[in-house]
Amino acid sequence: MSETWNKLREEASIIASKERILSKILTEYVLERESFEDALSWRLSTRLAKGSVPANDLRELLLSSFIESETILNQIEADLHAVKERDPACHDFISPFLYFKGFQALCVYRASNFLWNNKRKDISLYLQSLTSIVYSVDIHPSAKIGKGILLDHATGFVAGETTVIEDDVSILHEVTLGGTGKEGGDRHPKIRSGVLIGAGAKILGNVEVGAGARVGASSVVLSDVPPNVSVAGVPSRVLGQISSQNSPSLEMNHSLS
């Protein structure tokens, strides 16, 4: 994390020297901060302070979650690298840190998930509601999400309570990982490693999308998807195989041929 933090500070310093208007926020959010987790808690709390809970209280809550968890910062660093490596519109670390709603929403989810697992469900649900209002991203704090996740554009992304997303998954905007009825229990999708989910896709019910699969834009998936295939349609159907040597989520190749 120290290498990423040093790079982030370097990028902030360069921009602050060129853009007077941005120099104040870069100084406040990055250059005056003691660590990556300190900077991140400042940035997120400022965005989330929309209700009656003051930014200072939110900042302390987020910072304590980042510090107390052994895994959150590793996951966030992998998410940050995923954005830079997979999004052709992103060429640095400072842009997602300051601006990208998908990265920021994931960071807040990770804090809310930590709080949920430590029996602080009320405050974790409050963070979920703030994330939905501020970022238009609704992730239940009980969902299980691995590292190296890209939420590209992210607007309208929904993940239900028993959703599982493994490592190195890329997801476009308006994707729903939802249920199909009002029954309780394990009722949401399981997205395995290396999956790419196109914009507007709806994956519903306790179904599994196998590792290395690709789900086409606007598809509706109601049954299991085998590993290393492309699916599309309403309802979705298998269109072809993907070589196990390729990773749709890393290549960001949405071609279904």
Side-chain angles (χ1 to χ4, degrees):
M1 176 58 77
S2 60
E3 183 178 345
T4 303
W5 171 233
N6 290 337
K7 184 62 177 175
L8 189 71
R9 287 179 58 84
E10 179 185 334
E11 292 171 359
S13 180
I14 291 171
I15 296 171
S17 68
K18 296 188 298 184
E19 295 289 351
R20 179 188 59 81
I21 294 176
L22 295 177
S23 62
K24 183 179 183 298
I25 64 169
L26 288 166
T27 298
E28 179 181 359
Y29 296 151
V30 180
L31 299 176
E32 288 185 345
R33 306 279 61 86
E34 297 180 357
S35 63
F36 179 83
E37 53 268 36
D38 182 27
L40 189 61
S41 63
W42 271 75
R43 181 59 183 135
L44 296 176
S45 62
T46 304
R47 292 294 303 273
L48 293 172
K50 302 295 182 183
S52 57
V53 177
N56 286 341
D57 290 341
L58 289 172
R59 188 177 305 127
E60 292 176 6
L61 179 69
L62 292 167
L63 181 58
S64 64
S65 300
F66 296 148
I67 292 173
E68 291 174 25
S69 170
E70 296 180 359
T71 60
I72 286 181
L73 288 181
N74 289 332
Q75 292 172 326
I76 289 174
E77 183 176 22
D79 297 339
L80 189 59
H81 280 267
V83 179
K84 185 174 181 290
E85 292 165 4
R86 298 180 217 162
D87 185 348
C90 180
H91 307 288
D92 52 27
F93 293 126
I94 196 69
S95 295
F97 177 86
L98 287 177
Y99 310 126
F100 288 16
K101 64 168 65 177
F103 171 73
Q104 294 182 12
L106 265 176
C107 292
V108 181
Y109 150 77
R110 297 199 184 283
S112 70
N113 176 254
F114 171 77
L115 294 165
W116 180 274
N117 291 332
N118 282 273
K119 305 187 185 304
R120 299 184 65 186
K121 294 186 175 182
D122 294 302
I123 193 65
S124 64
L125 290 171
Y126 181 72
L127 286 180
Q128 178 195 3
S129 73
L130 288 180
T131 305
S132 180
I133 293 168
V134 174
Y135 298 113
S136 298
V137 172
D138 195 352
I139 306 173
H140 194 282
S142 180
K144 297 177 175 61
I145 301 180
K147 66 181 187 298
I149 307 300
L150 170 61
L151 292 185
D152 196 5
H153 298 289
T155 301
F157 175 65
V158 175
E161 180 183 17
T162 59
T163 296
V164 174
I165 302 174
E166 294 184 346
D167 297 343
D168 300 321
V169 171
S170 295
I171 302 173
L172 274 290
H173 51 286
E174 299 291 346
V175 166
T176 297
L177 305 178
T180 58
K182 63 180 183 179
E183 295 81 6
D186 194 356
R187 62 195 185 279
H188 294 103
K190 310 297 177 278
I191 311 300
R192 302 308 178 193
S193 298
V195 169
L196 172 62
I197 305 177
K202 315 301 177 189
I203 305 175
L204 305 176
N206 187 11
V207 300
E208 178 172 322
V209 179
R214 174 169 46 210
V215 179
S218 299
S219 299
V220 177
V221 178
L222 300 173
S223 58
D224 290 349
V225 175
N228 303 117
V229 300
S230 293
V231 300
V234 182
S236 66
R237 60 186 180 88
V238 175
L239 299 182
Q241 292 291 131
I242 301 172
S243 169
S244 59
Q245 304 298 317
N246 298 331
S247 177
S249 70
L250 302 184
E251 297 170 0
M252 297 297 288
N253 181 0
H254 292 270
S255 172
L256 296 172
S257 60

